[in-house]
Amino acid sequence: CCVLCLCCVLIVLCLCCVLIVFCLSHCRYALGMEDGRIKDDDITASSQWYETTGPQYARSEGDGAWCPEGQLEPSDSQYLQVDLGRLTFLTIVGTQGRYARSSGNEFARAYRLNYSRDGLLWKSWRNRLGNPVMEGNKNAYASVINDLHPPIVTRHVRLIPVTKLSTTVCMRVELYGCPWDDGLISYAAPEGQLMMPPGYPIASLNDSTYDGTRERRRLSGGLGQLTDGVIGLDDFLLTRQYHVWPGYDYLGWRNDSLGTQGFVEMEFVFDRQRNFTSMKVHSNNMFSRGVKIFSSVSCQFKPHLIANWEAEPVAFKTVLDDRNPSARYVTVPLNRRAAKSLRCRFYFADVWMMFSEISFQSVKKIKSRTRLPMSLVLISANPSASDSPDVSNTPVLIGCLVTIILLLVIIIFLILWCQYDCKVLEKVKRHNPTLKSVEAKGRLFRCFYFEREFGMMSANSCKERRSYWCLYLSVFVIMLVLNMNYFCPAACGGGYAEPDVTQCTPHQCFHSNAPHYAETDIVRLQGVTGSNMYAVPALTVDSLTRKDISAAEFPRQQLIFREKLGEGQFGEVHLCEAEGLPEFLGEGSPLPDRDGHSVLVAVKQLRADATSQARNDFLKEIKIMSRLNDPNIIRLLCVCVSSDPLCMVTEYMENGDLNMFLSQREIESTLTYANNIPSVSLSDLLHMSVQISSGMKYLASLNFVHRDLATRNCLLDRRLTIKIADFGMSRNLYSSDYYRIQGRAVLPIRWMAWESILLGKFTTASDVWAFGVTLWEIFTLCKEQPYSLLSDEQVIENTGEFFRNQGRQIFLYGPPLCPPSLFELMMRCWSRDIPDRPTFEGLYQALRPHVSQ
Ligand code: ADE
């Protein structure tokens, strides 16, 4: 029992140590609502219902909570405000309802947080996915702990209860974190950029939690990912956060994108003048991907905000490392220079430079009580950014551990000692029932004394006493662990390392399963007629042989060339006369308009010298097309694949593609009529939209994802019937619609849903997004490219905004020709959340009534 007990004690001891180290190094102290370190005057509120539910009762006295006046309405913005007295790194918020010895029944189901570093400028907290609302309590008694991801650097906090229905709300609150001794109140830097390496996912290296302003591609006046305590991994594409995009943990810049200067300039502003000893920059060094730590840095100092930069900078050259690709802290000595703000230039050592954290160490001049000269006292580093536990916490940590270990050793010693005494006593009793031995009496007394103190005198035998000791020890250890919850809530409930599933919608959770580019089975689909190469998930075509292709082989000598319709790097499209095609296809087969014995057809032909990859992709397209049969999908008539060059024969669409068709037309009016200008009516446009939705409805019913729906891929015959074409191909003509990732993969980014760009996820729902853009093209008569004012890079940045959904995303405008109800439909196609997007069936049903029969 004793050995077992000892083992348990040691295990629990280790657990305690781990928990203590975890708490202290992770900045999770109760900040003093409950224990009164935060004074009543520092807790205020927008209103209170009764005297006994005033803001100071948010620390759980009186009726046990703060309750805002009256019923809380969904539009209300009532708040409880806490002044923490100093800049604090806030990591956790705990809330409880009004319990009032079980007579209270009010609680906040959800709440928001606003914060201010100076008490003047208030900012709204949002989680890493852009959601400002946190889950609150489910009943009046249980506390709910919310980890702040990202944490906040602030002095003032407002908790704003949120409700969907009119209700009474009361809250008790505890805040957790630690002092922000870094003193940094803002940094300014160029906006982070996108990295689009061939064959890798796009890495978005922006500062997505930055709480200052973004103007002219510069961040200023805020803090963000560089001070959130999250240290980036060696591979910058991997992240420590859940449901975020590759490159999330880093802020990164490309050398040539910032002009020819070859450096990144950053400015840091502090709460007061400090004497800086060093700056620690956590930097990526994945040199195989063109990323390295900075080669040198030069920092200038400003003693006051309104002063000039001091002439003499501090310069520091790093030792570059081409062997170890690990991300690392680079410590820059700052020579104890005094400043309120710093301006540092970090010089590139390679194409890219990426930082995940920056912290500053400074010393404070204090007057000694003795006559000793001024001494320098170290101010602890940024608690979040240091890679070792916080310097200021170390003595507390060691003290706690030593005390616990000593206590446990004493207890174990006592147990063993009493056990030994007990045995001796029983032995003596057996031999000498009158207990004459003085030593035995002494022993008995000592053991008796301790046991009386611990109240286990009723136990008679040694065995019973032993079990009592075990029980007492267990209770002690359990109490110790439970008490830790007081200053370390998440250790026993919050779960720091757990993904915050309470904060993600089912849809976002669903995304966690979504592979991104790196994980997706990628094939490169090269257009026969275009130079495009798509990065798209592999189609489920295993090995392609002639037997997989259900279209019949047509004698190629019966194809008589008429004219060239299009051309690209991998082949050409010809208009041909197909002699004897009606007979070849047989009676009953739906045939295009015939010209006597022959029929006009479009023949896509793969270049004879095409790569085997292009050849395989061509065959895959044939295989897909041969299985499609719908009036709004281009029809494959036959093929010539028994010899080179490979050809596919499709119906000929006299009016070419929809983009060309519409861009050459104006909306029908008396003017166009009078001047014989080619025109289309609104009803034509609606009819086109219905036909495309019908074709897509068919593809969706087969679970077929098109991946490149756009007007350029819709063809028109002479009766203006629309047929969707190009299952993986587009013409050179539209190359500006595609985003070329360093000359390789080509993506139609302006038509792509955010999840396709960021996660490489192509589904029918992403086709719906593209359909919305196609509708927009139709109602602008293809006179403008979508997001024409944005560069390709800006379009991708805008995709990040669609993902974050903080209202900063730029939507396509409502075309003047477009009825408002139709624009609403388009906007639904661009819903951030997939379940909010309409289906093609729904789109078809919504559009069809608009068409006059
Ligand atoms: N360009 C590409 N395919 C075509 C087709 N089937 N008809 C007309 N032009 C085309």
Side-chain angles (χ1 to χ4, degrees), residues 247-287:
Y248 180 88
D249 291 346
Y250 283 97
L251 175 57
W253 308 269
R254 196 187 153 93
N255 193 347
D256 52 15
S257 66
L258 302 167
T260 49
Q261 56 195 19
F263 60 79
V264 168
E265 187 171 271
M266 296 184 73
E267 222 172 290
F268 304 92
V269 180
F270 292 82
D271 52 350
R272 58 180 163 77
Q273 198 186 82
R274 286 164 180 259
N275 292 61
F276 292 98
T277 52
S278 59
M279 165 174 70
K280 279 183 168 189
V281 184
H282 188 264
S283 179
N284 192 277
N285 195 47
M286 217 176 166
F287 47 80

CSV table of all heavy atoms in Angstrom, one decimal, residues 247-287:
chain,number,residue,atom,x,y,z
A,247,GLY,N,0.2,29.6,-43.6
A,247,GLY,CA,1.0,30.8,-43.4
A,247,GLY,C,0.4,31.7,-42.3
A,247,GLY,O,0.9,32.8,-42.1
A,248,TYR,N,-0.6,31.2,-41.7
A,248,TYR,CA,-1.4,32.1,-40.7
A,248,TYR,C,-0.5,32.7,-39.6
A,248,TYR,O,-0.6,33.8,-39.2
A,248,TYR,CB,-2.5,31.3,-40.1
A,248,TYR,CG,-3.3,32.1,-39.1
A,248,TYR,CD1,-4.4,32.8,-39.5
A,248,TYR,CD2,-3.0,32.1,-37.8
A,248,TYR,CE1,-5.1,33.6,-38.6
A,248,TYR,CE2,-3.7,32.9,-36.9
A,248,TYR,CZ,-4.8,33.6,-37.3
A,248,TYR,OH,-5.5,34.4,-36.4
A,249,ASP,N,0.4,31.8,-39.1
A,249,ASP,CA,1.2,32.3,-37.9
A,249,ASP,C,2.2,33.3,-38.2
A,249,ASP,O,2.8,33.9,-37.3
A,249,ASP,CB,1.9,31.1,-37.3
A,249,ASP,CG,0.8,30.1,-36.6
A,249,ASP,OD1,-0.3,30.5,-36.5
A,249,ASP,OD2,1.2,29.0,-36.3
A,250,TYR,N,2.5,33.6,-39.5
A,250,TYR,CA,3.6,34.5,-39.8
A,250,TYR,C,3.1,35.8,-40.5
A,250,TYR,O,2.1,35.7,-41.3
A,250,TYR,CB,4.6,33.8,-40.7
A,250,TYR,CG,5.5,32.9,-40.0
A,250,TYR,CD1,5.2,31.5,-40.0
A,250,TYR,CD2,6.6,33.3,-39.3
A,250,TYR,CE1,6.0,30.6,-39.3
A,250,TYR,CE2,7.5,32.4,-38.7
A,250,TYR,CZ,7.2,31.1,-38.7
A,250,TYR,OH,8.0,30.2,-38.0
A,251,LEU,N,3.8,36.8,-40.3
A,251,LEU,CA,3.7,38.1,-41.0
A,251,LEU,C,4.9,38.1,-42.0
A,251,LEU,O,6.1,38.0,-41.5
A,251,LEU,CB,3.7,39.2,-40.1
A,251,LEU,CG,3.6,40.6,-40.7
A,251,LEU,CD1,2.4,40.8,-41.6
A,251,LEU,CD2,3.6,41.7,-39.5
A,252,GLY,N,4.7,38.1,-43.3
A,252,GLY,CA,5.9,37.9,-44.2
A,252,GLY,C,5.8,38.9,-45.3
A,252,GLY,O,4.7,39.3,-45.8
A,253,TRP,N,7.0,39.2,-45.9
A,253,TRP,CA,7.1,40.1,-47.0
A,253,TRP,C,8.1,39.5,-48.0
A,253,TRP,O,9.0,38.8,-47.7
A,253,TRP,CB,7.7,41.5,-46.5
A,253,TRP,CG,6.9,42.1,-45.3
A,253,TRP,CD1,5.9,42.9,-45.4
A,253,TRP,CD2,7.2,41.9,-44.0
A,253,TRP,NE1,5.5,43.2,-44.1
A,253,TRP,CE2,6.3,42.6,-43.2
A,253,TRP,CE3,8.2,41.1,-43.2
A,253,TRP,CZ2,6.3,42.7,-41.8
A,253,TRP,CZ3,8.2,41.1,-41.9
A,253,TRP,CH2,7.2,41.9,-41.2
A,254,ARG,N,7.8,39.9,-49.3
A,254,ARG,CA,8.7,39.5,-50.3
A,254,ARG,C,9.6,40.6,-50.7
A,254,ARG,O,9.2,41.8,-50.7
A,254,ARG,CB,7.8,39.1,-51.6
A,254,ARG,CG,8.5,38.4,-52.6
A,254,ARG,CD,7.7,38.2,-53.9
A,254,ARG,NE,8.6,38.0,-55.0
A,254,ARG,CZ,9.0,36.9,-55.4
A,254,ARG,NH1,8.5,35.8,-54.9
A,254,ARG,NH2,9.8,36.8,-56.4
A,255,ASN,N,10.9,40.3,-50.9
A,255,ASN,CA,11.9,41.4,-51.0
A,255,ASN,C,11.6,42.4,-52.1
A,255,ASN,O,11.5,43.6,-51.9
A,255,ASN,CB,13.2,40.7,-51.3
A,255,ASN,CG,14.4,41.6,-51.2
A,255,ASN,OD1,14.2,42.8,-51.1
A,255,ASN,ND2,15.6,41.1,-51.2
A,256,ASP,N,11.3,41.8,-53.3
A,256,ASP,CA,11.1,42.8,-54.5
A,256,ASP,C,9.8,43.5,-54.4
A,256,ASP,O,9.6,44.5,-55.2
A,256,ASP,CB,11.3,42.0,-55.8
A,256,ASP,CG,10.4,40.8,-55.9
A,256,ASP,OD1,9.5,40.7,-55.0
A,256,ASP,OD2,10.6,40.0,-56.8
A,257,SER,N,8.9,43.1,-53.5
A,257,SER,CA,7.6,43.8,-53.5
A,257,SER,C,7.6,45.1,-52.8
A,257,SER,O,6.7,45.9,-52.9
A,257,SER,CB,6.6,42.9,-52.8
A,257,SER,OG,6.9,42.8,-51.4
A,258,LEU,N,8.7,45.4,-52.1
A,258,LEU,CA,8.7,46.6,-51.3
A,258,LEU,C,9.7,47.6,-52.0
A,258,LEU,O,10.4,48.3,-51.3
A,258,LEU,CB,9.2,46.3,-49.9
A,258,LEU,CG,8.3,45.4,-49.1
A,258,LEU,CD1,9.0,44.9,-47.8
A,258,LEU,CD2,7.0,46.0,-48.7
A,259,GLY,N,9.6,47.7,-53.3
A,259,GLY,CA,10.5,48.5,-54.0
A,259,GLY,C,11.9,47.9,-54.0
A,259,GLY,O,12.1,46.7,-53.7
A,260,THR,N,12.9,48.8,-54.2
A,260,THR,CA,14.3,48.2,-54.3
A,260,THR,C,15.0,48.4,-53.0
A,260,THR,O,16.2,48.1,-52.9
A,260,THR,CB,15.0,49.0,-55.4
A,260,THR,OG1,14.8,50.4,-55.2
A,260,THR,CG2,14.6,48.6,-56.8
A,261,GLN,N,14.3,48.8,-52.0
A,261,GLN,CA,15.0,49.1,-50.7
A,261,GLN,C,15.6,47.9,-50.0
A,261,GLN,O,16.7,48.1,-49.4
A,261,GLN,CB,14.0,49.8,-49.8
A,261,GLN,CG,12.8,49.0,-49.5
A,261,GLN,CD,11.7,49.8,-48.8
A,261,GLN,OE1,11.7,51.0,-48.9
A,261,GLN,NE2,10.8,49.2,-48.1
A,262,GLY,N,15.1,46.7,-50.2
A,262,GLY,CA,15.7,45.6,-49.6
A,262,GLY,C,15.6,45.4,-48.1
A,262,GLY,O,16.3,44.7,-47.4
A,263,PHE,N,14.6,46.2,-47.5
A,263,PHE,CA,14.4,46.0,-46.1
A,263,PHE,C,12.9,46.3,-45.8
A,263,PHE,O,12.2,46.8,-46.6
A,263,PHE,CB,15.3,47.0,-45.3
A,263,PHE,CG,15.0,48.5,-45.6
A,263,PHE,CD1,13.9,49.2,-45.1
A,263,PHE,CD2,15.9,49.2,-46.4
A,263,PHE,CE1,13.7,50.5,-45.4
A,263,PHE,CE2,15.7,50.5,-46.7
A,263,PHE,CZ,14.6,51.2,-46.2
A,264,VAL,N,12.5,45.9,-44.6
A,264,VAL,CA,11.2,46.1,-44.0
A,264,VAL,C,11.4,47.1,-42.9
A,264,VAL,O,12.1,46.8,-42.0
A,264,VAL,CB,10.5,44.8,-43.6
A,264,VAL,CG1,9.3,45.1,-42.8
A,264,VAL,CG2,10.2,43.9,-44.8
A,265,GLU,N,10.6,48.2,-42.9
A,265,GLU,CA,10.8,49.1,-41.8
A,265,GLU,C,9.6,49.0,-40.9
A,265,GLU,O,8.4,48.9,-41.3
A,265,GLU,CB,10.8,50.5,-42.4
A,265,GLU,CG,11.1,51.6,-41.3
A,265,GLU,CD,11.4,52.9,-41.9
A,265,GLU,OE1,12.5,53.2,-42.2
A,265,GLU,OE2,10.4,53.7,-42.0
A,266,MET,N,9.9,48.9,-39.6
A,266,MET,CA,8.8,48.7,-38.6
A,266,MET,C,9.0,49.8,-37.5
A,266,MET,O,10.2,50.1,-37.2
A,266,MET,CB,8.8,47.3,-37.9
A,266,MET,CG,8.5,46.2,-38.9
A,266,MET,SD,8.4,44.7,-38.1
A,266,MET,CE,6.9,44.8,-37.3
A,267,GLU,N,7.9,50.3,-37.0
A,267,GLU,CA,8.0,51.2,-35.9
A,267,GLU,C,7.3,50.7,-34.7
A,267,GLU,O,6.2,50.1,-34.8
A,267,GLU,CB,7.3,52.5,-36.3
A,267,GLU,CG,8.1,53.8,-35.9
A,267,GLU,CD,7.5,55.0,-36.6
A,267,GLU,OE1,7.7,55.1,-37.8
A,267,GLU,OE2,7.0,55.8,-35.8
A,268,PHE,N,7.9,50.9,-33.5
A,268,PHE,CA,7.3,50.4,-32.3
A,268,PHE,C,7.1,51.5,-31.3
A,268,PHE,O,8.0,52.3,-31.0
A,268,PHE,CB,8.3,49.3,-31.6
A,268,PHE,CG,8.6,48.2,-32.6
A,268,PHE,CD1,9.7,48.3,-33.4
A,268,PHE,CD2,7.8,47.1,-32.7
A,268,PHE,CE1,10.1,47.3,-34.3
A,268,PHE,CE2,8.1,46.1,-33.6
A,268,PHE,CZ,9.2,46.1,-34.4
A,269,VAL,N,5.9,51.6,-30.7
A,269,VAL,CA,5.6,52.7,-29.7
A,269,VAL,C,5.3,52.0,-28.4
A,269,VAL,O,4.6,51.0,-28.3
A,269,VAL,CB,4.4,53.5,-30.2
A,269,VAL,CG1,4.1,54.6,-29.2
A,269,VAL,CG2,4.7,54.1,-31.6
A,270,PHE,N,5.9,52.6,-27.3
A,270,PHE,CA,5.8,52.0,-26.0
A,270,PHE,C,5.0,53.0,-25.1
A,270,PHE,O,4.8,54.1,-25.4
A,270,PHE,CB,7.2,51.8,-25.4
A,270,PHE,CG,7.9,50.7,-26.1
A,270,PHE,CD1,8.5,51.0,-27.4
A,270,PHE,CD2,7.8,49.4,-25.7
A,270,PHE,CE1,9.1,50.0,-28.1
A,270,PHE,CE2,8.5,48.4,-26.4
A,270,PHE,CZ,9.1,48.7,-27.6
A,271,ASP,N,4.5,52.4,-23.9
A,271,ASP,CA,3.7,53.1,-23.0
A,271,ASP,C,4.5,54.3,-22.4
A,271,ASP,O,3.9,55.3,-22.0
A,271,ASP,CB,3.1,52.2,-21.9
A,271,ASP,CG,4.2,51.3,-21.3
A,271,ASP,OD1,5.4,51.3,-21.7
A,271,ASP,OD2,3.9,50.7,-20.2
A,272,ARG,N,5.8,54.1,-22.2
A,272,ARG,CA,6.6,55.2,-21.6
A,272,ARG,C,8.0,55.0,-22.1
A,272,ARG,O,8.3,54.0,-22.7
A,272,ARG,CB,6.5,55.1,-20.1
A,272,ARG,CG,6.9,53.8,-19.5
A,272,ARG,CD,6.8,53.8,-18.0
A,272,ARG,NE,6.8,52.4,-17.5
A,272,ARG,CZ,7.9,51.6,-17.4
A,272,ARG,NH1,9.1,52.1,-17.8
A,272,ARG,NH2,7.8,50.4,-17.0
A,273,GLN,N,8.8,55.9,-21.7
A,273,GLN,CA,10.2,55.8,-22.1
A,273,GLN,C,10.9,54.6,-21.3
A,273,GLN,O,10.7,54.5,-20.1
A,273,GLN,CB,11.0,57.1,-21.7
A,273,GLN,CG,12.3,57.2,-22.5
A,273,GLN,CD,13.1,58.3,-22.1
A,273,GLN,OE1,13.9,58.3,-21.1
A,273,GLN,NE2,13.0,59.4,-22.9
A,274,ARG,N,11.6,53.8,-22.0
A,274,ARG,CA,12.3,52.6,-21.5
A,274,ARG,C,13.7,52.6,-21.9
A,274,ARG,O,14.1,53.1,-22.9
A,274,ARG,CB,11.5,51.4,-22.0
A,274,ARG,CG,10.2,51.2,-21.3
A,274,ARG,CD,9.4,50.2,-22.0
A,274,ARG,NE,8.1,50.1,-21.3
A,274,ARG,CZ,7.8,49.1,-20.5
A,274,ARG,NH1,8.6,48.1,-20.3
A,274,ARG,NH2,6.6,49.1,-19.8
A,275,ASN,N,14.5,51.8,-21.1
A,275,ASN,CA,15.9,51.6,-21.5
A,275,ASN,C,16.0,50.2,-22.1
A,275,ASN,O,15.9,49.2,-21.4
A,275,ASN,CB,16.8,51.7,-20.3
A,275,ASN,CG,16.9,53.1,-19.8
A,275,ASN,OD1,15.8,53.7,-19.4
A,275,ASN,ND2,18.0,53.7,-19.9
A,276,PHE,N,16.1,50.1,-23.4
A,276,PHE,CA,16.0,48.8,-24.1
A,276,PHE,C,17.3,48.0,-24.0
A,276,PHE,O,18.4,48.6,-24.5
A,276,PHE,CB,15.5,49.0,-25.5
A,276,PHE,CG,14.1,49.5,-25.6
A,276,PHE,CD1,13.8,50.8,-25.7
A,276,PHE,CD2,13.0,48.6,-25.3
A,276,PHE,CE1,12.5,51.3,-25.7
A,276,PHE,CE2,11.7,49.1,-25.4
A,276,PHE,CZ,11.5,50.4,-25.5
A,277,THR,N,17.2,46.8,-23.6
A,277,THR,CA,18.4,46.0,-23.6
A,277,THR,C,18.5,45.1,-24.8
A,277,THR,O,19.5,45.0,-25.4
A,277,THR,CB,18.5,45.0,-22.3
A,277,THR,OG1,17.2,44.4,-22.3
A,277,THR,CG2,18.7,45.8,-21.1
A,278,SER,N,17.3,44.6,-25.2
A,278,SER,CA,17.3,43.8,-26.4
A,278,SER,C,15.9,43.7,-27.1
A,278,SER,O,14.9,44.0,-26.4
A,278,SER,CB,17.8,42.4,-26.1
A,278,SER,OG,17.0,41.8,-25.1
A,279,MET,N,15.9,43.2,-28.3
A,279,MET,CA,14.7,42.9,-29.0
A,279,MET,C,14.8,41.4,-29.5
A,279,MET,O,15.8,41.0,-30.0
A,279,MET,CB,14.6,43.8,-30.2
A,279,MET,CG,13.5,43.4,-31.2
A,279,MET,SD,13.3,44.7,-32.5
A,279,MET,CE,14.9,44.6,-33.4
A,280,LYS,N,13.7,40.7,-29.3
A,280,LYS,CA,13.8,39.3,-29.7
A,280,LYS,C,12.8,39.2,-30.9
A,280,LYS,O,11.6,39.5,-30.7
A,280,LYS,CB,13.3,38.4,-28.6
A,280,LYS,CG,14.4,38.0,-27.6
A,280,LYS,CD,13.7,37.0,-26.6
A,280,LYS,CE,14.7,36.4,-25.7
A,280,LYS,NZ,14.1,35.3,-25.0
A,281,VAL,N,13.3,38.7,-32.0
A,281,VAL,CA,12.4,38.5,-33.2
A,281,VAL,C,12.3,37.1,-33.5
A,281,VAL,O,13.4,36.4,-33.8
A,281,VAL,CB,13.0,39.3,-34.4
A,281,VAL,CG1,12.0,39.3,-35.6
A,281,VAL,CG2,13.3,40.7,-34.0
A,282,HIS,N,11.1,36.5,-33.5
A,282,HIS,CA,11.0,35.1,-33.9
A,282,HIS,C,10.8,35.0,-35.4
A,282,HIS,O,9.8,35.6,-35.9
A,282,HIS,CB,9.8,34.4,-33.1
A,282,HIS,CG,9.8,32.9,-33.4
A,282,HIS,ND1,9.0,32.4,-34.4
A,282,HIS,CD2,10.5,31.9,-32.8
A,282,HIS,CE1,9.3,31.1,-34.4
A,282,HIS,NE2,10.2,30.8,-33.5
A,283,SER,N,11.8,34.4,-36.0
A,283,SER,CA,11.8,34.5,-37.5
A,283,SER,C,11.9,33.1,-38.1
A,283,SER,O,12.5,32.2,-37.6
A,283,SER,CB,13.0,35.3,-37.8
A,283,SER,OG,13.2,35.4,-39.2
A,284,ASN,N,11.3,33.0,-39.3
A,284,ASN,CA,11.3,31.7,-40.0
A,284,ASN,C,12.7,31.6,-40.8
A,284,ASN,O,13.2,32.6,-41.1
A,284,ASN,CB,10.1,31.6,-41.0
A,284,ASN,CG,10.0,30.2,-41.5
A,284,ASN,OD1,10.6,29.8,-42.5
A,284,ASN,ND2,9.1,29.4,-40.9
A,285,ASN,N,13.1,30.4,-41.0
A,285,ASN,CA,14.4,30.2,-41.7
A,285,ASN,C,14.3,29.0,-42.7
A,285,ASN,O,15.2,28.3,-42.8
A,285,ASN,CB,15.5,30.0,-40.7
A,285,ASN,CG,16.9,30.2,-41.3
A,285,ASN,OD1,17.1,31.2,-42.1
A,285,ASN,ND2,17.8,29.3,-41.1
A,286,MET,N,13.2,28.9,-43.4
A,286,MET,CA,13.0,27.8,-44.3
A,286,MET,C,13.7,28.2,-45.6
A,286,MET,O,13.1,28.5,-46.6
A,286,MET,CB,11.6,27.5,-44.5
A,286,MET,CG,11.2,26.1,-44.6
A,286,MET,SD,9.5,25.9,-44.7
A,286,MET,CE,9.4,24.2,-45.3
A,287,PHE,N,15.0,28.1,-45.6
A,287,PHE,CA,15.8,28.6,-46.8
A,287,PHE,C,15.5,27.9,-48.1
A,287,PHE,O,15.6,28.4,-49.2
A,287,PHE,CB,17.3,28.7,-46.5
A,287,PHE,CG,17.8,27.4,-45.9
A,287,PHE,CD1,18.1,26.3,-46.7
A,287,PHE,CD2,18.0,27.3,-44.5
A,287,PHE,CE1,18.5,25.1,-46.1
A,287,PHE,CE2,18.5,26.1,-44.0
A,287,PHE,CZ,18.7,25.0,-44.8
